Amino acid sequence: MTHTLDIPPPPFVGHRDPLDGPKYVMLSENNSVAGGAQHPPLRPPPYRRSLHAYLSQRRSTKTGGCCRCCLCCFCCFLLVFVLLVVALLLYLSFTFDPQVPSYTVEHLDVEAFDMQPRDSSVSMEFAITVRAVNPNKKIGIRYQEGSSVLLGYKGARLGSGRLPVFYQRPRNTTKMVVAIKGRSKVGAARQSALFGNERAGDVPLHVSVKAPLGLAVGHTELVKVKVHIDCTLVVDSLAPGKKVAIKSTDYNVDVKL
């Protein structure tokens, strides 16, 4: 009599045939394996940055840090520069006690003055004597090239000239003669008003002076400034060869660095 033994197959070792069965499990709606086993809920894999994005972020971080460092250095340099300038100005102010010069129109000589009703033009040639006073004890004033002197009547320009170039010593009074020449069309209405002022002996004129000045101690020039002088004066006549009387004056002096 022959006996047959049922020997179970050995456990799987080695390569599994892809046809042996599926490599996945079926989950129910509550994340349980079909058959009753429970599993935790499935989650997506964590986000991983690419190498290119990581290097780009590091490069942008380094660039931003460098820009912030340069900006901080520039701000510190600017602050130090401003403090040095303020300290220098305070030192000069307390040491030399700078004062604004004063100016006065003393004479107005009319060498030529002609009005043409045909084209409403005015031709003139004046000589204005200006008295300049430097009240500073240690600071001299250098009158430099580039000045302008304009003479006008009710907004119309009549003529122009320039200040002389010279050096004015401390505590000095200088009289300078400024030649004003010009020919311009002022319009019929303005020319008629000028005729009326001339007959009434009450002619308002406006003088505007702009000049670059150098403030110096000895032979050393400390700083350059720009002076702007507005002068409104009223004279009794503009007749050539006649002594002109200045009836009133009003001055405004502005000095800027």
Side-chain angles (χ1 to χ4, degrees):
M1 183 176 181
T2 303
H3 297 279
T4 304
L5 298 177
D6 295 329
I7 300 175
F12 171 76
V13 177
H15 176 71
R16 176 182 293 274
D17 191 347
L19 301 177
D20 290 345
K23 297 180 182 181
Y24 57 88
V25 295
M26 298 294 294
L27 297 179
S28 62
E29 294 181 359
N30 58 355
N31 293 331
S32 61
V33 181
Q38 297 289 332
H39 288 271
L42 297 180
R43 298 178 179 177
Y47 171 74
R48 295 181 180 178
R49 295 179 295 178
S50 64
L51 180 60
H52 174 72
Y54 175 72
L55 294 178
S56 299
Q57 183 177 1
R58 288 192 61 185
R59 191 179 301 111
S60 63
T61 303
K62 291 182 179 180
T63 304
C66 182
C67 292
R68 286 192 293 269
C69 181
C70 293
L71 181 61
C72 181
C73 293
F74 174 76
C75 292
C76 292
F77 171 78
L78 184 62
L79 178 61
V80 172
F81 177 76
V82 171
L83 291 177
L84 288 177
V85 172
V86 172
L88 177 61
L89 293 177
L90 290 176
Y91 171 77
L92 294 177
S93 176
F94 285 106
T95 303
F96 300 106
D97 188 22
Q99 300 179 28
V100 178
S102 62
Y103 302 92
T104 306
V105 176
E106 289 195 341
H107 302 289
L108 176 63
D109 297 325
V110 181
E111 298 178 1
F113 185 77
D114 182 43
M115 290 188 290
Q116 294 293 334
R118 180 178 55 188
D119 58 355
S120 301
S121 64
V122 175
S123 300
M124 48 80 63
E125 186 174 345
F126 293 172
I128 301 178
T129 302
V130 179
R131 182 172 180 264
V133 178
N134 179 11
N136 294 283
K137 299 179 181 179
K138 300 180 180 180
I139 299 178
I141 301 176
R142 299 183 187 274
Y143 289 81
Q144 301 175 345
E145 294 282 354
S147 64
S148 66
V149 182
L150 302 179
L151 178 67
Y153 170 78
K154 292 188 176 182
R157 176 176 170 178
L158 300 180
S160 62
R162 294 182 179 181
L163 294 180
V165 178
F166 68 101
Y167 172 73
Q168 187 177 22
R169 299 188 306 273
R171 285 192 171 182
N172 174 263
T173 300
T174 301
K175 293 183 179 182
M176 55 182 117
V177 179
V178 183
I180 306 293
K181 298 180 181 181
R183 176 184 174 87
S184 59
K185 294 183 178 181
V186 298
R190 194 177 283 112
Q191 190 182 64
S192 177
L194 185 55
F195 267 120
N197 293 139
E198 172 72 17
R199 286 193 298 266
D202 195 20
V203 183
L205 298 175
H206 178 259
V207 180
S208 176
V209 180
K210 294 181 180 179
L213 307 181
L215 305 183
V217 176
H219 298 286
T220 303
E221 186 172 293
L222 300 178
V223 66
K224 291 184 179 181
V225 297
K226 295 180 179 179
V227 61
H228 184 195
I229 307 169
D230 274 324
C231 173
T232 301
L233 65 155
V234 179
V235 298
D236 66 340
S237 175
L238 294 179
K242 181 181 177 181
K243 185 177 180 180
V244 179
I246 300 177
K247 303 175 68 173
S248 65
T249 56
D250 183 37
Y251 301 94
N252 183 23
V253 181
D254 185 24
V255 179
K256 296 182 179 180
L257 292 176

